[in-house]
Amino acid sequence: MKKTCIFVVLWCLFTTMLCGIEVITKDGDVTVFYLQELSREKQVEYRTPRHKNGADTIDYWKGVALIPWLSKHKFNNWQSLRFESGDNYVVRFHRAELDTMPGYITLEQNGAKLDSTEVRIIFPQQRERFWIRDVARIYLEDFEVAPRPRQISIGSNFNVPLITNPEPFRGISAYRMADLMTSVFFADVGSVILVSKDGSRLRLEYPKHLEGSILERDSNGLLNFKSPTIPTGMWLRDVVYIQCGPYAILCGNDTRIDEIAKILEWKSSPQYRLLEPSAKVYSMEEIQRLRLITSQRDLWIEFAD
């Protein structure tokens, strides 16, 4: 009986240490980090207050700082993280939030080590419903593909005011995203897609991530995306395409629609309609050969199908 008890204890300890967290890339590659490995990572101490049963208490935690840990292991290619527990509880955060909000893979509470079912990811700035107990999987999610727009306007003259020194920015002239939303995209809220000349792409929510954001028009005529509510590392230089819902703007010099279609993974369309006085319908090949000049105004393209 004694040997059996010892065996059970050792087996429980062994399996606990073998339990781990799967990190799953957008390509489906899986890396497992066992608790024994995690316990050897640099630990950070922090605390969280809570009000329970009429009393204020403080919990003291110890864990691994999430974003530095991912970076250390070269997991940098993602725009959002999806966390799943062993019982399939799901929480998702965009990079714009996580780059400024600390999170921890927590291994210890009030001096006691947590077992495999109690290990959790905690975001001290968020409510407990955004914490993940018994965390099992972390999915690194890439840009979320959106349906192609119904209509693409050509040119960077947006028919909205060009503002000097838009708060909180100084020494620049810019278009406010708020003006574009109401006058170009006809929406108060929505997912906004931005693509830069180098092929970088962002999908952010307005107003959640984009309140106060602007498109700066620099001395070279380029449009640079800036926002006071997201990290500067996510700002884009030389924006050539913006989309919200069924409407989009192609605003880059010599930027071709087929290039945007490839970057945003659109399904091919048999033909587009270039809306101008002749209202001619062009084939895909003809549209791809068009040189679209940003000085053109009142010109737009619709998908003909």
Side-chain angles (χ1 to χ4, degrees):
M1 177 65 72
K2 186 175 181 179
K3 289 183 178 180
T4 301
C5 291
I6 293 173
F7 174 78
V8 170
V9 171
L10 290 175
W11 176 252
C12 289
L13 288 172
F14 177 71
T15 54
T16 295
M17 296 310 288
L18 281 184
C19 289
I21 299 172
E22 295 180 350
V23 178
I24 304 167
T25 70
K26 63 183 181 66
D27 298 319
D29 297 327
V30 180
T31 304
V32 181
F33 292 89
Y34 296 107
L35 298 190
Q36 188 174 20
E37 299 174 80
L38 290 171
S39 65
R40 291 197 294 264
E41 297 279 354
K42 180 182 177 181
Q43 305 288 302
V44 177
E45 296 182 355
Y46 65 99
R47 60 184 184 175
T48 58
R50 61 174 170 164
H51 185 81
K52 187 175 182 180
N53 299 326
D56 293 322
T57 60
I58 294 178
D59 285 308
Y60 295 87
W61 310 90
K62 184 182 289 188
V64 180
L66 177 65
I67 302 304
W69 174 73
L70 288 172
S71 297
K72 173 185 173 182
H73 293 283
K74 311 301 182 185
F75 295 117
N76 297 307
N77 188 21
W78 53 273
Q79 282 204 22
S80 61
L81 296 181
R82 185 172 88 243
F83 306 95
E84 292 187 358
S85 68
D87 60 1
N88 296 317
Y89 185 77
V90 177
V91 173
R92 178 187 280 106
F93 286 105
H94 194 282
R95 187 164 204 148
E97 300 163 281
L98 289 170
D99 275 5
T100 56
M101 179 178 68
Y104 304 93
I105 304 173
T106 305
L107 308 175
E108 187 176 307
Q109 179 182 12
N110 298 326
K113 293 189 182 299
L114 301 174
D115 65 31
S116 59
T117 62
E118 292 294 321
V119 168
R120 64 199 71 179
I121 292 180
I122 292 177
F123 300 98
Q125 296 177 4
Q126 295 288 333
R127 299 183 190 178
E128 289 190 35
R129 67 186 179 91
F130 292 106
W131 302 0
I132 306 93
R133 186 193 302 265
D134 185 21
V135 59
R137 293 167 293 277
I138 302 175
Y139 289 88
L140 311 180
E141 297 182 332
D142 196 8
F143 175 87
E144 183 181 353
V145 176
R148 69 188 181 202
R150 185 175 72 244
Q151 187 179 98
I152 305 175
S153 299
I154 307 301
S156 57
N157 296 306
F158 304 132
N159 294 322
V160 298
L162 184 65
I163 306 298
T164 301
N165 298 325
E167 291 290 345
F169 302 98
R170 291 291 178 184
I172 64 172
S173 296
Y175 303 102
R176 291 185 295 216
M177 187 63 69
D179 293 334
L180 292 177
M181 290 297 295
T182 56
S183 300
V184 178
F185 301 124
F186 313 108
D188 296 322
V189 298
S191 294
V192 177
I193 293 170
L194 300 108
V195 179
S196 65
K197 184 68 174 177
D198 65 5
S200 299
R201 55 190 189 176
L202 280 178
R203 181 171 179 162
L204 299 164
E205 297 299 317
Y206 183 91
K208 183 178 181 180
H209 304 135
L210 294 174
E211 187 171 4
S213 62
I214 59 164
L215 285 172
E216 174 198 15
R217 182 175 288 282
D218 68 16
S219 58
N220 297 314
L222 302 181
L223 295 174
N224 305 315
F225 165 72
K226 299 180 177 181
S227 174
T229 58
I230 67 173
T232 56
M234 295 182 69
W235 295 2
L236 290 182
R237 179 173 173 77
D238 196 359
V239 173
V240 296
Y241 178 88
I242 312 166
Q243 178 184 342
C244 183
Y247 301 104
I249 308 167
L250 189 68
C251 46
N253 287 319
D254 300 327
T255 300
R256 293 173 16 158
I257 293 178
D258 58 320
E259 296 171 347
I260 299 298
K262 183 176 180 180
I263 292 170
L264 296 182
E265 303 174 39
W266 294 341
K267 295 180 179 179
S268 61
S269 176
Q271 54 189 351
Y272 300 91
R273 181 175 287 110
L274 181 64
L275 298 184
E276 55 183 355
S278 66
K280 177 182 177 182
V281 175
Y282 289 77
S283 69
M284 169 71 84
E285 290 72 22
E286 289 172 319
I287 283 288
Q288 290 176 349
R289 287 197 297 269
L290 283 177
R291 292 177 62 84
L292 301 170
I293 308 303
T294 58
S295 61
Q296 291 177 279
R297 301 185 64 175
D298 302 322
L299 176 65
W300 66 92
I301 292 170
E302 286 188 348
F303 287 87
D305 57 339

